[in-house]
Amino acid sequence: MEILAFGVQADEKPLIERAFQGHHEVRCLDVFLNEDTAPIAAGYEVVSTSVNAELGHRVLEVLAAGGTRMIAQRSTGFNNIDLKVAERLGMTVARVSYYSPYSVAEFAWTLAMAVNRRIVRASTRTRDFDFRLDGLMGRDLRGRTAGVLGTGKIGEAFTRIAHGFGMRLLGWDVAENPACMELGMKYVPKEELLAESDLVTLHVPLMPETRHLIDAAALKVMRDDAILVNSSRGGLVDTAALVDELRAGRFAGVGLDVYEAEAGLFFLDKSLEAVEDDTLARLVTFPNVLVTSHQAYYTEDAVAQIVDATVKNVLDYKAGRRSENVLVPRS
């Protein structure tokens, strides 16, 4: 059986090909799965997708009509897949429920430190041999407060780093994490966390109830000199409201690895095209904002774990086995 993998990055391709070797053949494409590219999958029983694939009812119906019976998504998130339609069409859907939480937690800290210490501005200056310190002053984080929204595996990893910095720890989640509490974390209501935190970081999944978790009201509760980091899902933040607050001169720094309208933008080269997204275009002009292209997970360790789990998901599907990764079981 040959598997078709959409949205494969150049660094990812050899890992995928090596992992499937001896099991199944795999064809890797750098294009992303959407309504225009879905017909390419005709004749492929198994299709592997990335987090930015569009798997609404139209795409799923095209895939099913072409003979696809399994979607193996190479990510933890699955908000891009219409699971009810997949079930109706008799399609098995699996994801990667776990990979290195340190990859994302460490990158979230990279964003926080970069905006706090003005690293991008400093680097740009020194490349022009401008060695002034004006506008580069940051703050010690030791003794300040870190607010962690979502204290699962990634949130816990972030919390351990914050503890190492000597920060006061506040948490918010539907369930308290004993490991975080052992580090001294205090769980408080979201509004209290936002009001008291010098650094706010998001590590919750995107669901209907968490969409725009950080909305206009939440942003106004935050401190004017706070740092906001989102390395989870773009839809957690109301970007238009964030731009309004930034325009008013608020926040010491904002680090975003995700963006709510990133589909069709992130992972692609748009440098020679006119920017049609006015919100994103405005966002990247602020000197205290750093936007990266959904790369927090992108380490050798994490990608290798994602690929290995994807291979296992396909083998389980062929053998009729079910694991914790299965979102829609084989009918």
Side-chain angles (χ1 to χ4, degrees):
M1 181 179 69
E2 187 176 21
I3 296 153
L4 184 61
F6 282 94
V8 177
Q9 304 297 314
D11 296 333
E12 187 183 14
K13 183 178 179 180
L15 295 175
I16 291 178
E17 293 176 336
R18 190 179 309 125
F20 274 104
Q21 192 171 17
H23 300 294
H24 299 288
E25 294 183 12
V26 60
R27 178 187 175 194
C28 295
L29 302 179
D30 59 1
V31 297
F32 294 95
L33 178 60
N34 54 41
E35 199 169 341
D36 294 328
T37 60
I40 301 173
Y44 288 90
E45 182 180 352
V46 176
V47 168
S48 179
T49 58
S50 66
V51 70
N52 272 358
E54 298 175 12
L55 287 158
H57 70 95
R58 291 183 179 178
V59 171
L60 289 172
E61 287 169 355
V62 171
L63 293 177
T68 298
R69 294 293 174 263
M70 187 211 182
I71 304 294
Q73 176 129 310
R74 304 187 307 278
S75 71
T76 298
F78 54 90
N79 55 285
N80 60 319
I81 308 173
D82 192 325
L83 299 180
K84 291 183 179 179
V85 172
E87 184 176 14
R88 174 173 60 81
L89 294 170
M91 303 176 76
T92 300
V93 180
R95 61 155 178 170
V96 177
S97 59
Y98 174 86
Y99 60 84
S100 169
Y102 309 107
S103 61
V104 179
E106 291 172 6
F107 193 84
W109 266 102
T110 301
L111 289 174
M113 294 304 296
V115 296
N116 178 39
R117 301 307 301 269
R118 317 288 191 254
I119 298 299
V120 175
R121 182 186 295 179
S123 176
T124 301
R125 282 187 184 178
T126 56
R127 287 174 66 89
D128 292 331
F129 293 94
D130 179 353
F131 301 102
R132 293 172 300 159
L133 298 182
D134 296 346
L136 301 183
M137 184 175 288
R139 294 177 295 173
D140 288 3
L141 292 180
R142 179 177 178 81
R144 287 188 161 84
T145 301
V148 184
L149 292 162
T151 56
K153 293 182 176 66
I154 297 173
E156 178 186 331
F158 187 96
T159 299
R160 291 188 182 279
I161 300 172
H163 180 261
F165 269 81
M167 300 187 75
R168 175 185 175 228
L169 305 172
L170 296 180
W172 175 87
D173 208 328
V174 294
E176 297 179 351
N177 185 333
C180 292
M181 296 177 70
E182 288 180 6
L183 295 171
M185 174 172 280
K186 177 184 177 183
Y187 281 86
V188 297
K190 184 183 75 171
E191 290 71 21
E192 183 177 340
L193 181 149
L194 295 175
E196 296 188 16
S197 296
D198 300 285
L199 167 60
V200 175
T201 183
L202 308 179
H203 301 291
V204 300
L206 179 60
M207 301 179 291
E209 54 266 37
T210 61
R211 181 167 182 79
H212 286 181
L213 181 70
I214 304 299
D215 56 11
L219 290 166
K220 291 187 182 301
V221 172
M222 292 176 61
R223 295 182 175 184
D224 288 345
D225 61 352
I227 293 171
L228 173 64
V229 173
N230 185 12
S231 58
S232 185
R233 289 291 181 267
L236 298 175
V237 177
D238 183 338
T239 315
L242 176 61
V243 168
D244 287 342
E245 297 302 314
L246 289 165
R247 189 181 287 122
R250 300 191 64 223
F251 305 133
V254 174
L256 304 174
D257 185 52
V258 287
Y259 173 59
E260 60 181 324
E262 68 182 53
L265 290 172
F266 281 22
F267 306 141
L268 299 172
D269 182 2
K270 297 289 185 177
S271 60
L272 299 180
E273 301 178 23
V275 178
E276 298 180 359
D277 189 323
D278 292 338
T279 302
L280 180 60
R282 184 70 180 93
L283 188 64
V284 298
T285 64
F286 292 105
N288 57 334
V289 174
L290 174 58
V291 178
T292 52
S293 52
H294 205 140
Q295 68 184 80
Y297 78 98
Y298 206 52
T299 66
E300 293 178 3
D301 312 80
V303 173
Q305 291 171 358
I306 290 169
V307 170
D308 288 345
T310 301
V311 173
K312 183 179 182 301
N313 287 342
V314 173
L315 296 178
D316 285 346
Y317 160 77
K318 292 300 291 183
R321 295 187 296 264
R322 183 172 178 177
S323 72
E324 71 280 1
N325 288 341
V326 175
L327 300 170
V328 179
R330 184 171 184 171
S331 57

